[in-house]
Amino acid sequence: ATIKEGLVDLLKNHPDTKAVFLGVRGDDPHGSHCSPFSPTTGDWPSMMRVSPILRWDYHSVWQFLLTFSLPYCQLYD
């Protein structure tokens, strides 16, 4: 399934959903065009996109993951 299909299913099962959190950073492809809060556009399901780590650098992401002992893909090891 695509991300769009997943959001459609999410709203079918949880119609009160108003926002989704994304893990995009400004250094990611197309990340420089994002903002911390932006509504979906076009034919995407209507909701707010929230990007809390948009302005984090690579080091900050790893510091957060390791500080809080959060799981991550072992391929990074």
Side-chain angles (χ1 to χ4, degrees):
T2 65
I3 293 173
K4 188 185 293 186
E5 291 168 341
L7 292 176
V8 168
D9 287 345
L10 173 69
L11 288 176
K12 282 181 187 175
N13 295 317
H14 304 280
D16 292 335
T17 301
K18 304 290 185 225
V20 291
F21 286 83
L22 306 175
V24 67
R25 292 184 312 109
D27 291 342
D28 291 342
H30 307 290
S32 62
H33 297 76
C34 296
S35 62
F37 298 92
S38 62
T40 53
T41 58
D43 63 345
W44 283 77
S46 180
M47 60 181 60
M48 181 64 66
R49 294 178 292 210
V50 182
S51 301
I53 66 169
L54 187 64
R55 305 292 179 238
W56 288 18
D57 62 18
Y58 185 78
H59 174 76
S60 298
V61 171
W62 278 105
Q63 184 177 13
F64 183 84
L65 291 172
L66 296 175
T67 297
F68 293 100
S69 302
L70 298 173
Y72 59 87
C73 178
Q74 291 182 344
L75 292 175
Y76 287 108
D77 292 337

